[in-house]
Amino acid sequence: PREVYLRMLWERYARELDREEPSAGLNLTAFQRDGLVRALDYLDRHSGVMIADGVGLGKTYLAGELLRRAVQDHRQRALLIAPAALRDGPWRAFRIEHDLMNVQCVSYQQLVSDRRLGGDGGTVLWHEPDEYALIVIDEAHAYRNPDTERARVLRRLLAGTPRKDVVL
C-alpha cells in the first residue's frame, strides 16, 4: 500500500517538483502560492478554475492576485462579480488596499441590468463585454441554477469572443 500511495503522489505531483514559482504581487502564504500555481495551470489549460478553500484560508487573496496579474502585469481588463454586500464592503476595501480600483466590481443585480447583456437598465459595465479577459465570480454558488436570469446573463457575458478566463 505504501508503494501504491507513493506512486499515486508521484503521478499527481511530479511535474510540480521542477516548476518555477511565479512571483506574486500580493503577500501570499506558501500554501496560497501553491494554489496560485495550480490556478494558473488550470486557467492555461481550461480557461477556468474553481477556488474552493475553506473559510479563512485566503480565497480573496488568491482571486486578488489573479486580478492583479491580469490588470497590472498583462494590461488586461478584469471584471469582479460579487454580492452587493461584498462589493461595497470587503472587496472595495481590498481593491483600495492593493491598488486594484481599475478592476470593475459589480453586483449580481447590476450585471443583470446591463442593456448590452439583455437587461433593461443602462450601461453598467465600463467596457464592452468582449473586452474583459478575466471574470472573477465571488460566491459563485449563486449561479448554480442555470434557469435563472442571472445565469442567462452570465452565459451571454462569457459567450463572447475572445474567450475569457473565469475564476469561480
Side-chain angles (χ1 to χ4, degrees), residues 53-141:
D53 285 338
V55 174
L57 294 179
K59 294 180 293 292
T60 299
Y61 277 85
L62 190 49
E65 176 60 20
L66 294 169
L67 288 165
R68 189 205 63 75
R69 286 168 162 272
V71 298
Q72 292 177 2
D73 294 353
H74 301 296
R75 302 286 186 228
Q76 297 172 325
R77 293 193 167 125
L79 177 65
L80 171 60
I81 304 167
L86 297 179
R87 174 200 63 197
D88 298 336
W91 273 115
R92 179 169 172 69
F94 185 91
R95 289 169 45 236
I96 289 170
E97 180 182 347
H98 298 288
D99 194 26
L100 293 172
M101 291 308 288
N102 53 349
V103 172
Q104 185 179 12
C105 186
V106 299
S107 70
Y108 304 149
Q109 196 55 42
Q110 283 179 299
L111 188 66
V112 167
S113 71
D114 192 293
R115 65 174 173 74
R116 290 172 292 182
L117 297 172
D120 57 6
T123 302
V124 174
L125 298 177
W126 293 344
H127 309 287
E128 289 296 320
D130 285 346
E131 292 182 23
Y132 291 97
L134 176 66
I135 309 292
V136 174
I137 305 169
D138 196 3
E139 301 292 335
H141 60 274

Side-chain angles (χ1 to χ4, degrees), residues 10 23 38-39 116 144:
W10 176 259
S23 61
R38 289 191 181 110
R116 290 172 292 182
R144 67 186 171 272

Side-chain angles (χ1 to χ4, degrees), residues 108-109 111-112 117 140-156:
Y108 304 149
Q109 196 55 42
L111 188 66
V112 167
L117 297 172
H141 60 274
Y143 286 90
R144 67 186 171 272
N145 184 345
D147 297 327
T148 62
E149 182 63 20
R150 182 184 289 175
R152 281 190 283 280
V153 167
L154 182 61
R155 284 194 298 274
R156 281 187 211 117

Side-chain angles (χ1 to χ4, degrees), residues 38-49:
R38 289 191 181 110
L40 291 170
D41 182 50
Y42 272 84
L43 286 171
D44 285 344
R45 290 188 291 137
H46 306 291
S47 295
V49 64

